């Protein structure tokens, strides 16, 4: 019963870490992820301890430790590939794509997102695939291909709604707002940014740094077109 009890405790620690992470309590979540990683290491569960390592990468990313996030994601990705774990491989590729986009390397980001999308689809991980599509929508918009961006975002939003994933729906709303701003439709952009912000405030969910940067850039563009009073 000892090993079973330890595994149950390790699973509970991991789950609690995610609950705290979703409340943006990153320091507390990171402590639990590290505790969980150590527990799964003692259990010789290489897959789950690397899932926890990727979770530590998320904590580093959301707290601005980009080098730490890169190291965690790359280590986890190598382990997932060696283990033949497709869905975690796809997720790690998407996370690394976010770091590349945040750093301004859109070419590398697009390659990582496309590879992540392919792997996630092959693994049947539709929610992770929807996340990759949302992020590819950002890349297409940045390249000026607004039609492709809309297609990517519409496909992503359909799956996010089907799964009831509020965070994904908020991300897509904000991405559509950016698309409207890029197309010169500032009033429509402001309405969508307002809707996304209201949902984000209501849920308190975390938003990835790369997506925060996109939001700030295009919200500022819409605000400059409309003026502060009209934007508000």
């Amino acid at each position: 019963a000892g090993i079973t009890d330890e595994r149950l405790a390790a699973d509970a620690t991991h789950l609690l870490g995610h609950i705290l992470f979703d409340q943006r309590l990153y320091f507390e979540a990171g402590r639990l992820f590290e505790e969980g990683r150590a527990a799964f290491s003692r259990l010789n569960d290489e897959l789950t301890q690397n899932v926890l390592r990727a979770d530590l990468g998320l904590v580093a990313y959301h707290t601005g430790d980009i080098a730490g996030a890169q190291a965690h994601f790359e280590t986890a990705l190598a382990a997932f590939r060696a283990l033949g774990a497709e869905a975690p491989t796809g997720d790690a590729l998407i996370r690394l794509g976010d770091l590349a986009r945040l750093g301004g390397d859109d070419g590398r980001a697009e390659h990582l997102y496309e590879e992540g999308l392919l792997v996630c689809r092959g693994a049947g991980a539709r929610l992770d695939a929807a996340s990759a599509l949302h992020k590819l929508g950002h890349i297409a918009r940045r390249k000026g291909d607004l039609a492709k961006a809309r297609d990517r975002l519409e496909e992503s939003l359909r799956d996010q709604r089907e799964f009831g994933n509020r965070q994904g729906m908020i991300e897509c709303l904000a991405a559509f707002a950016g698309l409207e701003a890029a197309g010169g439709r500032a009033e429509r952009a402001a309405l969508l940014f307002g809707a996304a912000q209201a949902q984000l405030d209501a849920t308190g969910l975390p938003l990835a740094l790369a997506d925060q940067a996109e939001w700030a850039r295009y919200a500022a563009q819409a605000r400059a077109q409309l003026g502060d009073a009209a934007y508000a």
Side-chain angles (χ1 to χ4, degrees):
I3 297 231
T4 301
D5 289 346
E6 187 172 2
R7 179 169 291 276
L8 286 171
D11 283 335
T13 299
H14 187 190
L15 178 60
L16 181 57
H18 278 287
I19 291 170
L20 294 177
F21 182 88
D22 284 346
Q23 295 172 1
R24 305 183 194 175
L25 298 171
Y26 301 127
F27 176 77
E28 294 87 345
R31 239 181 2 189
L32 288 172
F33 289 152
E34 186 55 59
E35 185 181 325
R37 191 196 63 78
F40 282 108
S41 178
R42 291 192 297 272
L43 291 165
N44 296 313
D45 184 337
E46 189 177 354
L47 174 59
T48 311
Q49 64 181 288
N50 277 288
V51 169
L52 268 296
R53 184 177 294 282
D55 288 338
L56 286 166
L58 279 178
V59 170
Y61 175 38
H62 280 262
T63 54
D65 178 8
I66 304 306
Q70 186 87 25
H72 281 308
F73 290 144
E74 286 180 348
T75 300
L77 175 60
F80 294 146
R81 280 180 158 154
L83 292 165
E86 285 190 322
T89 294
D91 183 66
L93 287 164
I94 294 165
R95 302 298 181 188
L96 285 166
D98 256 11
L99 296 183
R101 176 161 58 105
L102 187 65
D105 190 346
D106 285 358
R108 176 167 168 73
E110 184 173 27
H111 172 76
L112 288 162
Y113 290 150
E114 290 282 10
E115 186 181 356
L117 175 62
L118 190 65
V119 172
C120 288
R121 280 177 166 165
R126 288 182 59 202
L127 204 51
D128 285 333
S131 176
L133 285 165
H134 151 250
K135 295 169 188 298
L136 283 164
H138 281 298
I139 294 292
R141 188 195 57 223
R142 284 159 72 113
K143 291 170 71 174
D145 191 342
L146 302 189
K148 183 177 181 180
R150 187 171 297 279
D151 287 345
R152 294 288 201 180
L153 292 174
E154 285 177 350
E155 187 178 353
S156 178
L157 183 58
R158 279 197 300 271
D159 285 345
Q160 304 286 7
R161 289 182 67 183
E162 182 182 336
F163 282 93
N165 182 25
R166 291 187 74 183
Q167 183 171 355
M169 287 187 276
I170 292 166
E171 290 169 349
C172 285
L173 266 180
F176 273 118
L179 191 59
E180 296 298 322
R185 295 176 292 277
E187 185 172 337
R188 178 71 176 159
L191 288 168
L192 288 170
F193 277 129
Q197 188 63 59
Q199 288 294 313
L200 194 63
D201 291 344
T203 61
L205 289 167
L207 194 70
L209 294 185
D211 293 335
Q212 288 180 36
E214 299 275 9
W215 187 325
R217 180 181 303 113
Y218 286 97
Q221 183 176 322
R223 186 186 294 273
Q225 289 173 22
L226 288 172
D228 290 345
Y231 182 88

